[in-house]
Amino acid sequence: MKKCATLLLAFLVHASAQAAEVTIRIDASHPGPVISRYLYGQFMEHLGRDIYDGAWVGPDSPIPNRNGLRLDVLQALKDIHVPVIRWPGGCYADEYHWRNGIGPPDERPVTLNMSWGGIEETNAFGTHEFFELVEAIGADAYVAGNLGTGSAREMAEWLEYMTSDSHSTLAELRRANGRDAPWRVAFFGVGNESWGCGGNMRPEYYADLYRQTAEFLKVSGERPKKIASGGHDALTTWTEALSQVRTNIDGISHHYYTTPSGVWAAKGSATEFAEGEWISTLSRALRVEDHIAAQEAILGRNDPEGRIGLYFDEWGAWYDATPGASALYQQNTLRDAFVAALHFHVFHRHAARVRMANIAQSVNVLQAMVLTQGDALVLTPTYHVFKMYVPFQDAMSLPVSYDELPDYVLGQYRVPSLSATAARGTDGKLYASVANLNPHEAAEISLTVAGAPLKRASAQVLTADAMNSHNTFAVPGAVQPKPFGGIVVAGSTLKMTLPARAIVMIGID
Ligand code: AHR
């Protein structure tokens, strides 16, 4: 009896140390929808140190800059091929009056940013500075209009100022302020979170305001895509009301933030967490798929021809405030890299309807790409996922399935232990990424590709010593991608051992 127990214990120890074995199948002969590059979009708001003392330090700063825009931030954003930036909010969009942010900087009024602590807003960063930023990194502009304290007229005039090639007084004012050629506004949003900070409206009331406002958002050149401000999380009433708008609508926005606890008053720490909050955060991140499915069902009924896209123009991890730091500043760990990767895998699966996503936010705020301190800049683990996933931009999605995918379970939480995505890139190559959510166990993976010959594979892996590993100004390279060897190509299958808590991005010839 005693011998049996010892043998059983030895077997269990061996079994738990052994890597789980999973077959992942990619069907390269049945491509799905194109993964819009706009799923890799960014969001910048006049909040904390996202813009001021973040992307923009002013032309007189000793920090190397181009007309006030930090060169290192510009380069970092350029390197991840940022396709679009949404600005100026967020909640701030509904109190922003564009005329305050044009003209000689020393003549611009000082206003108060009542959305974010009533701090003084110099308006030094305005329309011209925003377009210099997007043009410098090669991104498109997504301008969020002010519906809350603004008007259809104010939005229409802003559009005229930005896009008119005429000799109207507003177009001439833009020229007098230093910009001759019109800018291209690719996307224009009407308000933000109108169910809350944007005016506490009911969806039906907002839908009528949207109908009225969008009618007057006319431009003589290329018409921007017009985005209505929608709901959040599992809420569907906004998508229901807005998908019944028949004209002047290209997208409905939706917001989803991930917290470890699901409780806003005590969300959880960005860096000090145990495994329970690793899995709870990843489990909550994965809920985005249910939220998308709920909106898709409504859009499928009200807009079967697919005119209207779903725009996740705010998403990301949100933790408890960092003591002593600027508003919504938070560190970013390996866990955040997983939050990003899991969102992308979900967005790819729903690329037919999800046409834009903008992580909140780019610099020093929430799930940021980069953190700055004086003249130093740190790339976050989230940044590295954006960089590794560049080949997915505008790639053709490919169906992925699994043979017996084991769950990773802890307490009340259960998530699939692996998450994979695949696509054929614009360069014709196959790309696949696999994330191992289990923080302790490696996974033996057979990646089988049907419908495409395989010659060789090269890969990068993002992992770290601990779930909460992060990059600091003292140690900026604690979490960064490294070359991943050990992929064996055998016929139509790639075999590899994926380490625990690792994301591997594979390019296949
Ligand atoms: O991203 C921070 C804030 O979160 C935005 O201003 C608002 O739209 C959302 O509630």
Side-chain angles (χ1 to χ4, degrees), residues 391 395-396 398 423-432 456-458 506-509:
M396 209 180 282
L398 298 174
R424 189 176 289 285
T426 52
D427 57 3
K429 276 174 66 164
L430 287 180
Y431 292 94
R456 58 189 161 264
S458 59
I506 312 161
I508 307 165
D509 285 307

Side-chain angles (χ1 to χ4, degrees), residues 98-99 102 128 153-183:
W98 67 272
R99 283 176 191 266
I102 58 169
H128 291 250
R153 176 177 176 175
E154 187 176 351
M155 285 184 249
E157 289 180 350
W158 195 9
L159 266 177
E160 181 183 328
Y161 181 85
M162 293 185 282
T163 65
S164 177
D165 202 14
S166 73
H167 296 287
S168 74
T169 301
L170 282 173
E172 292 297 349
L173 182 59
R174 182 192 69 235
R175 291 190 187 97
N177 286 332
R179 172 71 182 203
D180 190 15
W183 290 295

Side-chain angles (χ1 to χ4, degrees), residues 39-181:
L39 295 180
Y40 288 83
Q42 299 281 322
F43 166 43
M44 282 189 171
E45 180 168 13
H46 292 236
L47 195 185
R49 295 195 300 119
D50 191 11
I51 291 172
Y52 298 114
D53 197 23
W56 197 86
V57 287
D60 300 329
S61 170
I63 297 169
N65 69 82
R66 168 177 153 178
N67 294 332
L69 294 163
R70 268 184 89 126
L71 293 182
D72 52 1
V73 172
L74 291 181
Q75 191 58 51
L77 296 180
K78 219 171 156 176
D79 289 346
I80 54 170
H81 298 206
V82 170
V84 63
I85 300 182
R86 175 175 182 250
W87 170 83
C91 294
Y92 185 68
D94 281 301
E95 60 168 297
Y96 183 66
H97 298 285
W98 67 272
R99 283 176 191 266
N100 292 338
I102 58 169
D106 53 358
E107 291 174 20
R108 297 183 193 178
V110 175
T111 51
L112 297 179
N113 182 336
M114 298 312 288
S115 296
W116 299 109
I119 55 166
E120 289 176 6
E121 164 64 62
T122 62
N123 286 295
F125 189 93
T127 303
H128 291 250
E129 291 74 20
F130 170 64
F131 277 98
E132 179 155 7
L133 167 63
V134 290
E135 289 186 344
I137 63 170
D140 281 336
Y142 176 2
V143 176
N146 179 345
L147 184 72
T149 62
S151 63
R153 176 177 176 175
E154 187 176 351
M155 285 184 249
E157 289 180 350
W158 195 9
L159 266 177
E160 181 183 328
Y161 181 85
M162 293 185 282
T163 65
S164 177
D165 202 14
S166 73
H167 296 287
S168 74
T169 301
L170 282 173
E172 292 297 349
L173 182 59
R174 182 192 69 235
R175 291 190 187 97
N177 286 332
R179 172 71 182 203
D180 190 15

Side-chain angles (χ1 to χ4, degrees), residues 391-431:
F392 287 127
Q393 293 194 20
D394 285 338
M396 209 180 282
S397 60
L398 298 174
V400 174
S401 57
Y402 308 84
D403 288 357
E404 300 196 29
L405 175 55
D407 282 341
Y408 156 48
V409 184
L410 186 71
Q412 56 170 308
Y413 293 100
R414 172 181 290 274
V415 292
S417 57
L418 298 173
S419 170
T421 191
R424 189 176 289 285
T426 52
D427 57 3
K429 276 174 66 164
L430 287 180
Y431 292 94

Side-chain angles (χ1 to χ4, degrees), residues 43 45 47 90-91 116 192-193 255 257 314 318 328 360-361 366:
F43 166 43
E45 180 168 13
L47 195 185
C91 294
W116 299 109
N192 168 76
E193 294 194 352
H255 292 178
Y257 285 102
E314 287 184 33
W318 193 325
L328 305 195
Q361 301 188 2
L366 296 178

Side-chain angles (χ1 to χ4, degrees), residues 108-322:
R108 297 183 193 178
V110 175
T111 51
L112 297 179
N113 182 336
M114 298 312 288
S115 296
W116 299 109
I119 55 166
E120 289 176 6
E121 164 64 62
T122 62
N123 286 295
F125 189 93
T127 303
H128 291 250
E129 291 74 20
F130 170 64
F131 277 98
E132 179 155 7
L133 167 63
V134 290
E135 289 186 344
I137 63 170
D140 281 336
Y142 176 2
V143 176
N146 179 345
L147 184 72
T149 62
S151 63
R153 176 177 176 175
E154 187 176 351
M155 285 184 249
E157 289 180 350
W158 195 9
L159 266 177
E160 181 183 328
Y161 181 85
M162 293 185 282
T163 65
S164 177
D165 202 14
S166 73
H167 296 287
S168 74
T169 301
L170 282 173
E172 292 297 349
L173 182 59
R174 182 192 69 235
R175 291 190 187 97
N177 286 332
R179 172 71 182 203
D180 190 15
W183 290 295
R184 179 167 175 265
V185 179
F187 303 92
F188 193 89
V190 177
N192 168 76
E193 294 194 352
S194 302
W195 44 265
C197 66
N200 294 309
M201 301 177 200
R202 292 174 304 114
E204 297 74 20
Y205 177 69
Y206 172 85
D208 282 344
L209 279 184
Y210 179 84
R211 284 183 175 88
Q212 178 193 0
T213 306
E215 181 61 28
F216 297 102
L217 302 179
K218 297 191 169 106
V219 296
S220 38
E222 183 191 342
R223 167 191 175 288
K225 289 202 185 306
K226 298 178 189 177
I227 316 302
S229 174
H232 61 97
D233 302 2
L235 194 64
T236 53
T237 44
W238 286 72
T239 305
E240 185 70 62
L242 291 168
S243 55
Q244 293 174 46
V245 176
R246 289 281 152 251
T247 52
N248 284 316
I249 184 165
D250 299 288
I252 299 173
S253 84
H254 199 84
H255 292 178
Y256 180 55
Y257 285 102
T258 299
T259 65
S261 68
V263 178
W264 279 100
K267 295 180 269 297
S269 161
T271 51
E272 302 304 313
F273 59 87
E275 189 180 344
E277 285 167 278
W278 163 271
I279 191 169
S280 69
T281 305
L282 302 192
S283 165
R284 287 203 164 79
L286 285 167
R287 288 185 194 174
V288 72
E289 188 144 28
D290 293 339
H291 302 334
I292 291 173
Q295 315 306 318
E296 279 175 340
I298 293 165
L299 286 161
R301 187 169 12 91
N302 292 348
D303 176 39
E305 56 287 354
R307 288 174 306 118
I308 303 174
L310 195 57
Y311 285 54
F312 268 78
D313 58 19
E314 287 184 33
W315 68 273
W318 193 325
Y319 303 113
D320 288 340
T322 309

